[in-house]
Amino acid sequence: VQLQASGGGLVQAGGSLRLACAASGRTFSGYTVGWFRQGPGKEREFVTALRWNGSGTYAANSVRGRFSVSRDRAKNTVYLQMNSLQPEDTAVYYCAAVPRFLITSMFSSSQEYDYWGQGTLVTVSS
């Protein structure tokens, strides 16, 4: 499966953006799809993830209550809605997928994901 992330851009602090991760080559059925990010000079970190069947989502503490993940079955796309953005959210955001349902404790492990998108840059100005 090929992943295409889009929707990044420049936004002021307190603003919102919605990222999209579209799959081609096959559907997300049976997949776990996650979002990760890598800020300047930082290591890649987990943001949030969901199982395609809707049986569970999980978000990192740093974004919980501000970011949410959802899916559109018809478009075979996963979205990351980001609200109340702060400068520390500035990063390249990557979507990733693995063709099985991960248990919740494994959502945040980047090593569990087999496929990665190219990343989309989000810049939050103060």
Side-chain angles (χ1 to χ4, degrees):
V1 64
Q2 290 80 44
L3 306 180
Q4 179 71 39
S6 62
L10 175 63
V11 63
Q12 289 188 331
S16 299
L17 278 176
R18 189 178 75 159
L19 306 183
C21 177
S24 61
R26 63 168 298 162
T27 71
F28 273 139
S29 178
Y31 278 65
T32 299
V33 182
W35 287 95
F36 292 77
R37 67 185 182 184
Q38 187 166 15
K42 298 180 181 179
E43 294 186 354
R44 186 173 298 184
E45 65 174 354
F46 170 75
V47 177
T48 187
L50 60 70
R51 299 189 193 99
W52 186 251
N53 67 355
S55 64
T57 63
Y58 181 73
N61 289 338
S62 59
V63 304
R64 197 168 296 162
R66 300 188 298 125
F67 292 10
S68 62
V69 62
S70 63
R71 74 194 190 284
D72 184 323
R73 290 180 179 273
K75 295 183 178 179
N76 204 36
T77 298
V78 172
Y79 298 100
L80 177 63
Q81 178 66 44
M82 305 185 295
N83 299 325
S84 301
L85 283 162
Q86 300 302 316
E88 54 265 33
D89 295 316
T90 294
V92 177
Y93 284 72
Y94 300 89
C95 62
V98 56
R100 62 184 183 276
F101 291 151
L102 298 180
I103 60 175
T104 304
S105 63
M106 302 306 296
F107 275 5
S108 61
S109 174
S110 61
Q111 297 164 333
E112 295 294 328
Y113 294 82
D114 295 335
Y115 304 100
W116 291 81
Q118 83 288 2
T120 184
L121 177 62
V122 172
T123 303
V124 184
S125 62
S126 58

